[in-house]
Amino acid sequence: MVIRIITILYFFSFFFWEAGYAADKSSEEAVMLPFRYTPHSISQTKLAGIHLSKGVNAGMVVEVGSILMGNVSSVPLDFIINLSAVNPNIKKITLSELNYILKIDNVEFSREKVSKKYKFAASSSGRVLLPVHLNMASLLKGERSGIVQNLVKNFMGTGNRPSHITLYLKPTYRVGRETITLSDHVPVIFSFQGNR
C-alpha cells in the first residue's frame, strides 16, 4: 500500500511538473496550471482620430477612403483586443506582464508589451486588454496593403471577407514571491468580418 501511494504521488508530481512553467533562477521552481485565454471582442477602434467603433456613416466612409488613398507619413490605427482569461489554480495569481505578437492573415504586424498588472483570485476569470498601435501609412505598401485595407473595412462593418487574427502570448505571472514566465508562446486565434 505504501509503495502504491508513493507511486501515485510520484506520477502526479511528474504530471504537474510537465505542465508547469519555468520560474526565476533566483527561486525554487514554482508549479501552476496554465491560464486559458479566449477572444472576447475588439473595441475603441480609431483611425487617424476617427472612432470607427462608434458606428460609421457615409461621410466617415468617404473620409476614411481619402485617408487610405492619401500620401501621408503617419496614419495611426489604434484598437484594443479584449481577451477573457481564466485562472484555474486554487491560489491567487497576478498577471504582471504580457508580451505578444500580432499576426493578421498570417503576416506579422506588431510586437507589443502590456505592463499593466491584472490580479486574479483563485479559480476566477477576468478581462485582459491588449492595446494595438499601428501606423497605416507604413503598412499600406507591399503584401500588407490589401490585408490592412480589409481590416479597416471590417472595423467599419463594410468588409466582404474576414480578417484572421493570431496572437502569440508570452505572459509573466507572480505567484506569492515567485515570478513565472511561460517558456513558449500561447496562441489565440480568431476571425471577424464586419460587425460579426
Side-chain angles (χ1 to χ4, degrees):
M1 178 62 71
V2 173
I3 294 176
R4 179 174 295 179
I5 291 173
I6 292 174
T7 302
I8 291 172
L9 289 174
Y10 175 80
F11 172 78
F12 279 102
S13 297
F14 180 80
F15 173 79
F16 283 113
W17 180 84
E18 284 290 303
Y21 294 82
D24 274 355
K25 299 297 183 182
S26 59
S27 61
E28 295 182 1
E29 186 171 49
V31 178
M32 57 172 281
L33 295 173
F35 273 42
R36 295 191 298 272
Y37 296 95
T38 54
H40 179 267
S41 60
I42 296 178
S43 62
Q44 299 184 37
T45 308
K46 292 192 297 182
L47 174 64
I50 303 173
H51 289 269
L52 303 181
S53 55
K54 293 184 177 180
V56 179
N57 55 43
M60 291 174 64
V61 172
V62 173
E63 186 175 359
V64 169
S66 64
I67 291 173
L68 296 180
M69 298 301 293
N71 185 20
V72 293
S73 60
S74 178
V75 181
L77 173 63
D78 304 298
F79 56 95
I80 294 177
I81 300 176
N82 303 283
L83 298 179
S84 297
V86 177
N87 172 19
N89 298 274
I90 56 173
K91 50 192 170 186
K92 61 182 180 181
I93 295 176
T94 298
L95 174 61
S96 58
E97 185 177 283
L98 182 59
N99 290 277
Y100 66 94
I101 301 168
L102 169 67
K103 286 189 175 183
I104 305 173
D105 293 344
N106 295 318
V107 176
E108 184 175 323
F109 273 71
S110 69
R111 293 175 179 242
E112 307 203 35
K113 179 174 74 174
V114 176
S115 298
K116 179 180 177 179
K117 293 177 172 57
Y118 291 89
K119 296 182 178 180
F120 291 84
S123 303
S124 68
S125 62
R127 294 275 187 272
V128 175
L129 309 184
L130 305 185
V132 179
H133 309 285
L134 303 175
N135 181 8
M136 291 283 290
S138 62
L139 297 175
L140 290 171
K141 301 172 184 177
E143 65 174 335
R144 297 180 179 183
S145 178
I147 294 173
V148 78
Q149 289 188 47
N150 184 61
L151 177 69
V152 171
K153 289 178 181 178
N154 282 325
F155 283 146
M156 297 173 63
T158 61
N160 56 16
R161 61 182 177 86
S163 293
H164 303 288
I165 310 296
T166 303
L167 296 165
Y168 294 98
L169 311 178
K170 191 159 190 174
T172 296
Y173 303 99
R174 287 287 296 177
V175 186
R177 296 181 179 179
E178 303 284 351
T179 299
I180 306 171
T181 300
L182 188 64
S183 56
D184 296 317
H185 286 88
V186 177
V188 177
I189 303 170
F190 65 99
S191 301
F192 78 99
Q193 179 178 344
N195 294 319
R196 286 174 279 178

